Amino acid sequence: MREYDIVVIGGGLAGLMAAAAATKRGKKVTLLSLGSGTLTIGGGIVDVMGYLEGGIPAATPSAGLLQVGEGHPYKKIGRPAIEESIRFFKEICEQEGYSYIGNLDKTQWIPTAAGTLKPTCLVPKTMDTTELKKADKVTVLGFDALKDFYPSLIAKNFKKIPAFAQKEYEVVMVDPKLSEGRDVTALDVARWLDTEEGLASCIEKMRNVIDSGSVVIIPPVLGTRPDYAVKEKLEKALGCHFIETASVPPSITGLRLRTMLVRYLKKNGVRIVEQAIVAKSIVEDGKCVAVITEGVDRERTYYAKSFILANGGFYGGGLLAEPGKVIEPIFNLPVEAPTDHELWANYSLFSSEAQPFAKLGLDVDEKMRPLDANGKVLLNNVYVAGRNLRGYDFSFEKSGNGVAIASGYQAAMSV
Amino acid sequence: MKKHHNNPDSCTACTVCIANCPVTAATRKFRGPKMVGPTLERMRLSQDDIEPSLEYCSNCKNCDMSCPSGVPISTLNMLARAKYFKNRKRSLRDWILSHGEKMAKLSAATPGMANFGMKMSRGILKKIGISDKAPLPAYASKSFSKLFKNLKQTSYPDKVVFYPGCFINYNDPQVGMDFVAVMQANKLEVIVEEDFVCCGSPLVVNGFLDEAEENAKQNVQILKKWTDKGYPIITCCTSCGLMLKQEYQELFHIEGVAEYAKHLYDADEFLLDLHDQGRLNTNFGTLNEKYMYHAPCHLRAQGMGLPGVELLALIPGLDVQDADAGCCGISGNYGFKDDKYDISMEIGSGLFKAIKDSGRDTVVSECGTCRLQIGHGANVKTLHPLTLVRKSYEAYHK
Ligand SMILES: Cc1cc2nc3c(=O)[nH]c(=O)nc-3n(C[C@H](O)[C@H](O)[C@H](O)COP(=O)(O)OP(=O)(O)OC[C@H]3O[C@@H](n4cnc5c(N)ncnc54)[C@H](O)[C@@H]3O)c2cc1C
Ligand code: SF4
Ligand code: SF4
C-alpha cells in the first residue's frame, strides 16, 4: 500500500499552507483537492485582524490578536505560531519571486474598487500604498468597457475620506480595444498585459494620458502571473507608481497567489490529486487510518499517518447545514449549534456584532485536533485548519486568510 | 456530492470557471463557461435559446475541475450543443471529424483510399474547414486489431479486457501492443472485443449526441458483460476512459454504467493498484533517460491524480518531469478545425514553451491527440508511459 506521512483534505489557502509547512518539515504529502478554493473568489490579500467585537477597528493586527475571545482560533494557535506562520508565508512568496509586504505591527488600509479603504495585513507589492499616501495629486485610471471599476466613483468617494480629502484627483481612461466579443473584466485586461504586444500598446496609450511621476490607482490588472514583471515594466517605461485596488471575483490577486503556492508545492514533491471528493474516513481506536474519495467510477482509499482537514466552511463544502444541525461529513465530528435555527443569524441590519452562524464550526485544542463537547480530543492524528474552525466570523472581523495561514501552519507543525 | 447531477442551480455565479477556462483565455469570442453553461441553461430549461459562442467550448473540462460547486459545466455545454444541432444541417467537416472510426474502416476497405485523410489534398480539407496546418494523424498500415489477432499471447488464468479506442486502433497501434506486452509481463492475458465501437467522444463534441448514444449502448452492453464475469476493463486513452465511465452517466440514461465503471481502469492506475497489492512485476531495467510529462486534461478530471508519473517513478534511472503547464489546446478534434486552429495553438503555447525551455526532446503523455499536438507545437518526439514501462522490462532481460 502507498502510505503517505500526511494527507491534506482541501486545496484552499489553509490546505495549501498546511501542505507547504509539512513538506518543509520533510514529510511526504498528498493533497486531495476539489475545485480551486475560495482564493480565486475572495482574493490574495491577507487579512489578519481588522475589526474587534463591536466593530471597532483594531489598532494593528497584533493588537487585534491580543483582544480576541477565548474560543477564537488565534487564541488556540497562540501568538508565536501565528508570527512564525506569517514569516513562513512571506518566505515562500519571497523565494518564488512574488513577495508580499506588511507585518503584524501595522494595519494597511488599501483602496477598494468602491473608493473606500479596507484594513488588511499583508498585500502583494502591487498594492503598496506608500506613494499614494505621500501624493498630493492622484490619478485614477480606468479601462474603457471594463465592468465593475468606475474611476470617477473612486475619486468621488476618496474625497470623503479625511486622510485623502486634501488630495487632488484626476480621472483618465485607456481603451484596451478589447470590446470584441464578451464583456471586459479585469482578468481580460490582465491577460492583455501578460502579452508583450498588449503591454507595449498599453504603455503607448498610457503615455498619452498620464504624466511621468504620477501616482496611479488602477484595477487589479497587473498581469495574471505571480511575479512583478508587468508592474516593473510599466513603472519603468512611464516613471509612475501603480497601485491596484482590491478586486471583485474572479480575483486576480487570488489567482496569482494560488498559482504560486501550487507551483511551490509541486516543486517540493507534494502529490496533488485534483477532483478528489473525500466522502468518508476509516477510523480505528481514535486514529484515522485512511480517507476515501468517491468518484463517478469508484472509491479510492488514501492511507497516511496523519490527516489535515482543511476543506472549508459552509461555502467550501467542509460543513453542511441541515435543519437544526450542522454536519461535518467526513469524520462526523460534532459541531455545536443552537437547535433553534432562528438563533443562527443576527437579524439586525448593520449590526456591529459578528454573525453567530458564521462562528459555527469545529472546536479544536492548541494542536488543532478536534474536540468533543467536554474538551476531549476525538481523533489523535487528525488536525483541522481554515474556514471550518469554530469561533470567528472572518467577514466581520476581517481575518479570513490570516486564520487560514496560521491554522494551516499550526496543523502541519503539530503533526 | 455526486458529480453527475446536471443541475445548473448549484451555480453560485462565483466566476471561478471563467478564470480557469483555457479557451476564454485564448479568445474573446467565447463568452466563457459560466455564461454559456449554467446561466443560460437555466433559460434553456424554459425556452429554446442558444448562445452563439457555445461553439467555442472544447469540452476540455477545466471549468468542471475548478468549480467549487460541482456544476458539470462542460456537459451542460455539450447537451446544449446537441440541442442546437437537433434540427439543423451539419457541415461535412464536422461529420468527417466526428466519424473517424467510419473513415478509418472505409479507407481500410478501399485500398486506394489508404490514408485518405492525409492523401486527400490539404487544400481540399481546408476548403471544407479543416486547417491545413493542423497535425492530422496518419492511419497505421495495420490496425491494432489486426496486429493483435496475429499476436501469440501466453495464456494466464487472470485476464483483463482492453478497450483500445479509435486512436490506438487506427492511428497508434504500437501503444496497444506495448500495453499487451506489459500485461503479459505481469502474467495477465488480454482480451479484446471485436464489437467495441468508438466511445463517442468525437461525436459528442460535434453535437451528434444520438449517434453517440447508440455507440454508448453497444459499448455498455459489452463492458457490463465482462465486468459481470469479474474481468477488469482497461483503457490507455484518457478521453475514452472519461467518456466510458463519467460522460455516459452525465449525458445518457443507460443502465449498467455505474456498475462496470467500478472496474474500469486507466492502464497506469491499474498497474499502480497491482503494485499496491504487491503483485506488480517490478523487474524494471534501468533507463538512464530524461523526459517531460504532460497531464491530459481528461486525466486530471478523473480524480486519480497523475498515475503515469507515479508509475514511471518506479523505473530506476528514469527522470520524468511534469511540465505542469495546462491544456495543450487540441481537445480531441477541436484544434483540427480551421477556425479553431489558432486558438488551439494559443492555448498550447504555454506548454510548448515549458517543453522547449526544458531542453528535453521527448514528451510522455497518455492521450493520443495531446501527443500529436505537442509533437506539432513543441517539435519534439512523444510517447505513451506504457512504452517506457515495456522498454524498462525489456532492459531488465538484456
Ligand atoms: C467573497 C469573499 C471575499 C473574501 N475576501 C477576503 C480578503 O480580502 N482577505 C482575506 O483575508 N480573506 C478573505 N475572504 C476569506 C477567505 O477567502 C477564506 O476565509 C479563506 O480563503 C478560507 O480558506 P480555506 O482553505 O479554509 O477554505 P476554502 O478556500 O474554502 O478551501 C476549502 C477547499 O476544500 C475543498 N473541499 C471541500 N470539501 C471537500 C471534500 N469533501 N473533499 C476534498 N476537498 C474538499 C473545497 O473544494 C476547497 O477547495 C473572502 C472570502 C470570500 C468568500
Ligand atoms: S470545457 Fe473547457 S473550453 Fe469548455 S467551457 Fe469548460 S474550460 Fe472552457
Ligand atoms: S465555477 Fe461553478 S459555481 Fe462558479 S460560476 Fe462557474 S459554474 Fe457557477
Side-chain angles (χ1 to χ4, degrees):
Chain A
M1 270 307 149
R2 274 166 286 169
E3 193 194 50
Y4 277 70
D5 293 327
I6 301 177
V7 162
V8 178
I9 305 161
L13 185 56
L16 296 170
M17 283 307 292
T23 45
K24 180 88 179 169
R25 295 182 62 203
K27 306 277 183 198
K28 229 172 113 189
V29 182
T30 289
L31 177 75
L32 302 175
S33 97
L34 174 65
S36 59
T38 312
L39 267 182
T40 323
I41 307 163
I45 298 154
V46 182
D47 300 346
V48 171
M49 190 44 115
Y51 294 98
L52 305 169
E53 293 276 337
I56 307 153
T60 63
S62 250
L65 288 177
L66 291 174
Q67 284 159 286
V68 297
E70 258 329 299
H72 200 286
Y74 283 146
K75 204 76 182 176
K76 316 243 157 116
I77 300 164
R79 168 112 195 184
I82 298 171
E83 276 176 10
E84 274 173 48
S85 71
I86 297 289
R87 201 175 312 132
F88 178 58
F89 172 80
K90 287 184 69 178
E91 193 181 291
I92 296 177
C93 298
E94 181 88 44
Q95 210 175 312
E96 292 294 307
Y98 183 58
S99 54
Y100 266 54
I101 52 170
N103 60 59
L104 287 172
D105 294 322
K106 200 168 134 217
T107 298
Q108 303 200 55
W109 291 88
I110 53 159
T112 69
T116 56
L117 293 179
K118 167 200 143 101
T120 190
C121 182
L122 306 178
V123 296
K125 275 169 34 184
T126 54
M127 300 179 107
D128 185 350
T129 53
T130 318
E131 297 298 328
L132 175 63
K133 281 184 221 136
K134 287 195 267 175
D136 297 326
K137 189 181 152 220
V138 176
T139 305
V140 188
L141 186 143
F143 292 90
D144 286 327
L146 172 63
K147 296 263 164 186
D148 306 317
F149 190 87
Y150 303 101
S152 35
L153 177 77
I154 294 179
K156 195 173 126 213
N157 285 344
F158 266 12
K159 272 279 181 200
K160 296 182 197 152
I161 301 170
F164 284 49
Q166 308 313 321
K167 299 181 196 296
E168 194 189 316
Y169 295 92
E170 184 194 18
V171 168
V172 298
M173 298 299 287
V174 158
D175 186 357
K177 291 266 190 292
L178 293 174
S179 47
E180 178 206 36
R182 59 175 186 258
D183 290 347
V184 179
T185 65
L187 184 59
D188 293 310
V189 180
R191 281 177 172 150
W192 179 57
L193 292 178
D194 275 343
T195 63
E196 300 235 338
E197 316 82 76
L199 188 65
S201 136
C202 185
I203 287 171
E204 280 321 302
K205 290 174 191 205
M206 282 182 168
R207 239 189 254 291
N208 297 331
V209 290
I210 47 180
D211 302 326
S212 177
S214 300
V215 171
V216 190
I217 292 185
I218 49 164
V221 296
L222 297 175
T224 63
R225 290 187 283 261
D227 60 39
Y228 294 120
V230 172
K231 172 183 156 75
E232 282 159 9
K233 283 181 195 158
L234 272 183
E235 292 189 341
K236 191 159 170 247
L238 297 159
C240 297
H241 293 283
F242 288 92
I243 299 132
E244 289 182 321
T245 64
S247 58
V248 295
S251 160
I252 316 292
T253 52
L255 194 67
R256 286 185 207 136
L257 181 58
R258 187 180 148 74
T259 307
M260 185 206 81
L261 288 172
V262 169
R263 185 180 71 195
Y264 174 87
L265 295 182
K266 287 186 180 166
K267 262 200 282 197
N268 286 283
V270 173
R271 171 170 70 147
I272 301 182
V273 182
E274 293 176 276
Q275 287 294 74
I277 308 168
V278 179
K280 43 191 177 180
S281 54
I282 305 174
V283 172
E284 284 166 13
D285 303 327
K287 278 185 80 172
C288 176
V289 179
V291 291
I292 298 173
T293 61
E294 202 168 61
V296 279
D297 48 358
R298 66 183 156 271
E299 296 181 340
R300 291 181 174 82
T301 310
Y302 293 86
Y303 296 88
K305 297 192 184 85
S306 308
F307 297 81
I308 295 175
L309 184 65
N311 56 350
F314 293 103
Y315 185 75
L319 300 175
L320 307 175
E322 291 200 358
K325 61 177 176 189
V326 176
I327 291 176
E328 181 284 302
I330 298 172
F331 296 97
N332 203 12
L333 295 168
V335 183
E336 218 184 305
T339 39
D340 183 359
H341 222 111
E342 290 286 306
L343 296 176
W344 285 19
N346 178 351
Y347 288 104
S348 55
L349 274 179
F350 308 114
S351 162
S352 58
E353 296 303 322
Q355 290 286 347
F357 178 76
K359 288 186 162 190
L360 297 180
L362 302 169
D363 197 11
V364 293
D365 70 355
E366 69 286 354
K367 289 185 159 171
M368 314 311 284
R369 289 175 305 182
L371 299 174
D372 70 8
N374 301 317
K376 195 173 133 274
V377 172
L378 284 167
L379 294 164
N380 264 314
N381 64 340
V382 173
Y383 305 81
V384 183
R387 197 48 215 107
N388 49 4
L389 289 167
R390 179 183 145 180
Y392 75 115
D393 178 345
F394 81 83
S395 173
F396 173 81
E397 64 187 29
K398 302 286 173 230
S399 64
N401 286 335
V403 171
I405 290 175
S407 59
Y409 180 82
Q410 176 76 343
M413 297 312 278
S414 304
V415 167
Chain B
M1 191 196 315
K2 277 271 180 229
K3 281 305 253 185
H4 45 282
H5 64 107
N6 292 355
N7 180 8
D9 289 334
S10 34
C11 171
T12 60
C14 73
T15 70
V16 164
C17 52
I18 302 175
N20 286 280
C21 168
V23 174
T24 308
T27 175
R28 299 196 38 77
K29 290 187 184 130
F30 186 38
R31 287 181 73 197
K34 174 182 142 288
M35 257 328 272
V36 173
T39 305
L40 279 160
E41 182 61 21
R42 291 198 190 118
M43 296 180 217
R44 279 193 291 267
L45 293 176
S46 52
Q47 67 195 66
D48 186 25
D49 198 1
I50 186 71
E51 156 62 38
S53 83
L54 175 64
E55 64 156 312
Y56 285 97
C57 172
S58 75
N59 197 33
C60 70
K61 306 214 175 275
N62 282 283
C63 47
D64 303 18
M65 280 186 260
S66 69
C67 175
S69 309
V71 180
I73 311 158
S74 56
T75 296
L76 294 175
N77 288 354
M78 292 309 112
L79 289 169
R81 187 175 286 171
K83 201 165 162 189
Y84 174 78
F85 281 123
K86 194 116 198 145
N87 304 309
R88 286 178 170 87
K89 224 174 119 36
R90 309 308 315 273
S91 70
L92 175 61
R93 192 266 317 263
D94 285 359
W95 192 93
I96 289 181
L97 291 177
S98 313
H99 294 78
E101 186 173 41
K102 280 209 169 98
M103 300 283 298
K105 284 191 173 144
L106 187 72
S107 64
T110 334
M113 295 262 294
N115 268 328
F116 174 76
M118 292 304 287
K119 288 235 176 90
M120 200 161 117
S121 126
R122 293 301 284 257
I124 297 178
L125 289 175
K126 170 108 179 153
K127 279 219 174 69
I128 63 164
I130 294 175
S131 167
D132 52 357
K133 289 175 273 181
L136 296 183
Y139 293 124
S141 54
K142 276 200 180 110
S143 69
F144 170 75
S145 47
K146 269 214 183 106
L147 293 171
F148 182 76
K149 254 188 236 142
N150 295 327
L151 183 80
K152 270 261 151 295
Q153 278 192 85
T154 310
S155 180
Y156 292 110
D158 289 337
K159 301 182 204 317
V160 298
V161 175
F162 179 46
Y163 178 90
C166 303
F167 193 83
I168 288 178
N169 206 1
Y170 300 111
N171 305 109
D172 200 1
Q174 191 53 42
V175 170
M177 298 309 279
D178 292 342
F179 167 78
V180 178
V182 169
M183 290 298 119
Q184 288 270 289
N186 280 283
K187 299 198 165 22
L188 291 162
E189 187 178 337
V190 177
I191 299 168
V192 178
E193 265 279 355
E194 281 295 300
D195 293 336
F196 276 138
V197 288
C198 167
C199 71
S201 182
L203 291 162
V204 170
V205 295
N206 287 304
F208 295 93
L209 199 66
D210 294 345
E211 268 182 78
E213 185 163 7
E214 288 313 306
N215 282 20
K217 282 182 186 150
Q218 180 160 342
N219 287 329
V220 167
Q221 193 208 335
I222 305 170
L223 293 165
K224 179 89 175 20
K225 175 188 81 184
W226 285 108
T227 57
D228 281 351
K229 286 192 209 168
Y231 295 89
I233 316 276
I234 304 181
T235 63
C236 284
C237 165
T238 45
S239 294
C240 294
L242 185 71
M243 192 59 158
L244 297 176
K245 66 166 100 155
Q246 178 169 326
E247 294 178 277
Y248 279 7
Q249 297 192 57
E250 292 173 345
L251 294 165
F252 313 123
H253 300 281
I254 307 172
E255 291 282 305
V257 183
E259 286 75 39
Y260 74 68
K262 290 193 176 76
H263 311 284
L264 196 140
Y265 294 85
D266 164 74
D268 302 335
E269 189 193 27
F270 182 80
L271 291 167
L272 280 178
D273 275 13
L274 286 186
H275 191 44
D276 281 345
Q277 294 153 20
R279 56 156 302 185
L280 179 74
N281 173 359
T282 50
N283 289 336
F284 290 121
T286 304
L287 299 179
N288 284 317
E289 295 163 9
K290 288 188 168 148
Y291 297 97
M292 283 305 267
Y293 171 79
H294 163 70
C297 300
H298 286 180
L299 169 68
R300 290 170 43 216
Q302 292 186 38
M304 55 161 105
L306 306 180
V309 173
E310 284 181 70
L311 179 66
L312 295 180
L314 300 173
I315 298 178
L318 199 60
D319 173 354
V320 178
Q321 191 190 323
D322 182 5
D324 189 27
C327 183
C328 75
I330 193 78
S331 285
N333 52 48
Y334 186 83
F336 297 161
K337 299 177 180 174
D338 202 20
D339 53 338
K340 307 291 185 318
Y341 174 82
D342 289 340
I343 298 174
S344 130
M345 292 300 281
E346 170 64 26
I347 294 171
S349 59
L351 173 65
F352 307 150
K353 181 171 182 307
I355 293 167
K356 286 180 190 155
D357 288 351
S358 77
R360 301 185 175 199
D361 66 356
T362 310
V363 177
V364 185
S365 187
E366 285 85 353
C367 169
T369 49
C370 290
R371 292 197 297 274
L372 282 178
Q373 171 87 340
I374 291 168
H376 173 64
N379 195 19
V380 286
K381 292 175 288 216
T382 59
L383 291 171
H384 189 282
L386 287 193
T387 305
L388 288 175
V389 175
R390 177 184 194 168
K391 194 172 169 193
S392 168
Y393 281 146
E394 287 170 359
Y396 185 83
H397 293 290
K398 270 182 197 152

